[in-house]
Amino acid sequence: MLKLRMDSLEWALKHIENYGDTDIFPVPFEYKAIRHVWDTNIRELPSGTTLKEFLRNQDMLQWNVRDFRRSLTPKHKFGFRLSTQLDPLDTLVYLALVYEIGQDIEQKRIPVDRNVSFSYRFNPNDDGRMFDSEIHYGSFLNYCEEKVDEFVGDDTIEYVVVADIADFFPRLYLHPLENALSSCTTKSNHARAIKRLLNSWNYSISYGIPVGQDASRLLAELTLNDIDEGLLSEGIDFCRYVDDFRIFCSSEKEAYQQLALLAEMLFENHGLTLQQHKTRIVPVDEFRRNYLKSEESIEIQRLSDEFLGIIQEMGIDDPYGEIDYDILPDEMQEQINSLNLVAILQEQIDSDNADAKIVGFVLRRMAQLKNADALELVLDNIDKLYTAFQHIFIYINELELSVSQKVEVSEKLIGILEDSIVGHLEFHRMWLFKTFSNGTGWNIDRLATYYNEYFDDFSRRKIILALGKANQQSWFKTRKRNIMQLPNWQRRAFLASANCLPGDEANHWYRSILPRLDILEVAVVKWAESR
């Protein structure tokens, strides 16, 4: 038997509240419902326990996974990946399990001071952060720069191998991961429980771990540890960030030999291969020019420096933190206004292949400043900003739009849905329909029609939430008797939104169906009634 610790479950919920359940999908509203009943006794549970106690009392070796969702998501202009959003309770369990053996995983890996792996070093804190904030992609770049600069005028490093694993997370074989789990910790039941979860989500297919979750990132790092150890044992001078390798060589011949060794290790140990279009052997001068800055920083260095200079003058240390533009002095507002963020976006639109990272960088800052100047530009050029779709809708949902602006945006969104190339992916439709559930004032005339037109879970769930937000009581009245026929994710959306029913109708209906609901659905009802 294996039961999770209370502090692990508490940490897992804080992690999701502060960092999200994935970096791909909108955070499900269910986590608000979970928090609402987290420490509150629920009569419908055995002995009237809290939700936290309910999870604490479960045997993780017998935990049955719940319904998850998968969607094709754009990776670049003509590439896709299959991304997973786990059921909220499964996510909590997965995070808590990995958290409880996280230190064992970290101790199994090559130590940080060896400067080998710069990705996802386990160092949790009380607010739910999982990884060391001081070790990241920037640290990886800085080390590479120091490495090649150390040997200026020396023949020790003449070439650098730049290599990238193809489809790392989706193609990761589970058997090597299971072996790595068993060898890294004495908590054998934790290893067994995690193996059981992964096999259940994969329907016993032997490869692939959920994409987008921090727990998966730590497991992936553990799996690649044997590659790190193998390269070190061969005396190879290298470093790595996730699936990106850099190998430092004295000659082109040596570079080819070591690249071949890396490819052989990856295939023999894990069945993985390298991406041909991202794998290169480059002279050290070319490496300095083209690989020592992050992809976005090359083009936005000037913008970044100016922005950081301004916010440092304000006394703000975190450039991603909230900025209250309205209370700033006039001269600072003028400085911020002088940054031509829209021009940066226009350059990306005019390029052959817009960089989603650059677009996201700019839109995050415009969202912080509640600056709607880019609204029309991004909506009119949605096809060219295809891979930045998620960033665009996060930006839109952060803006404080007037009713007239919402009506105008609604019309543009409908046009995008019906005419744009982006409308064919359920992932895009999910983000688009989410906007209609972001408060009142949106034009929802066509939403009920779209519910009958699109049958995928992602679209329908967001449409249900938007109809509830728009107080479409008649829509819910005619469908409430059929709620148990809905798939789980849509059913929870219906339960959350049906609180728009008039008078005591919602409360009477909730009471009538409570005995038929599972624990997460009960939490959603309790939360909906409180609202």
Side-chain angles (χ1 to χ4, degrees), residues 22-25 68-75 80-86 170 209-213 390 426-427 458:
T22 74
D23 58 359
I24 299 168
F25 300 100
F68 58 86
R69 309 193 295 175
R70 280 189 175 145
S71 173
L72 202 64
T73 58
K75 193 172 181 180
F80 303 90
R81 64 181 175 182
L82 199 59
S83 300
T84 304
Q85 188 166 43
L86 303 175
I209 61 177
V211 174
Q213 284 83 13
Q390 176 182 350
E426 58 190 25
F427 175 75
F458 289 91

Side-chain angles (χ1 to χ4, degrees), residues 443-460:
N443 184 347
I444 51 89
D445 292 344
R446 297 286 305 277
L447 280 184
T449 301
Y450 288 134
Y451 180 86
N452 297 322
E453 182 175 339
Y454 297 114
F455 297 97
D456 65 279
D457 190 75
F458 289 91
S459 299
R460 282 195 158 186

Side-chain angles (χ1 to χ4, degrees), residues 176-196:
L177 170 56
E178 291 168 359
N179 289 338
L181 277 171
S182 296
S183 65
C184 85
T185 182
T186 59
K187 298 174 181 175
S188 57
N189 279 343
H190 284 74
R192 288 174 55 200
I194 292 170
K195 294 174 193 177
R196 192 170 181 272

Side-chain angles (χ1 to χ4, degrees), residues 377-414:
L377 180 66
V378 295
L379 289 176
D380 288 346
N381 292 278
I382 198 82
D383 288 354
K384 295 181 178 180
L385 299 174
Y386 182 86
T387 56
F389 198 90
Q390 176 182 350
H391 298 299
I392 291 169
F393 281 85
I394 291 174
Y395 165 63
I396 292 173
N397 290 327
E398 287 291 321
L399 295 177
E400 297 172 354
L401 300 178
S402 65
V403 173
S404 61
Q405 285 177 310
K406 286 182 178 180
V407 171
E408 183 179 349
V409 171
S410 298
E411 293 304 314
K412 286 185 179 290
L413 295 181
I414 296 303

Side-chain angles (χ1 to χ4, degrees), residues 263-324:
E264 182 180 17
M265 282 186 180
L266 286 169
F267 187 77
E268 292 295 336
N269 291 17
H270 302 287
L272 296 169
T273 58
L274 294 171
Q275 291 198 52
Q276 293 184 11
H277 71 283
K278 285 190 174 182
T279 299
R280 298 281 188 275
I281 293 174
V282 296
V284 69
D285 289 340
E286 181 182 339
F287 180 73
R288 283 194 188 94
R289 288 195 306 272
N290 298 332
Y291 293 95
L292 289 182
K293 290 185 178 180
S294 62
E295 295 175 18
E296 69 270 31
S297 67
I298 295 173
E299 296 192 38
I300 59 179
Q301 188 64 55
R302 175 190 57 79
L303 171 65
S304 180
D305 287 346
E306 287 188 45
F307 191 88
L308 289 174
I310 291 171
I311 66 169
Q312 285 169 3
E313 187 179 343
M314 300 175 198
I316 298 173
D317 295 325
D318 179 10
Y320 295 90
E322 201 65 38
I323 298 173
D324 191 345

Side-chain angles (χ1 to χ4, degrees), residues 203-220:
Y203 299 108
S204 296
I205 294 173
S206 60
Y207 58 85
I209 61 177
V211 174
Q213 284 83 13
D214 278 345
S216 293
R217 293 185 174 100
L218 192 59
L219 296 181

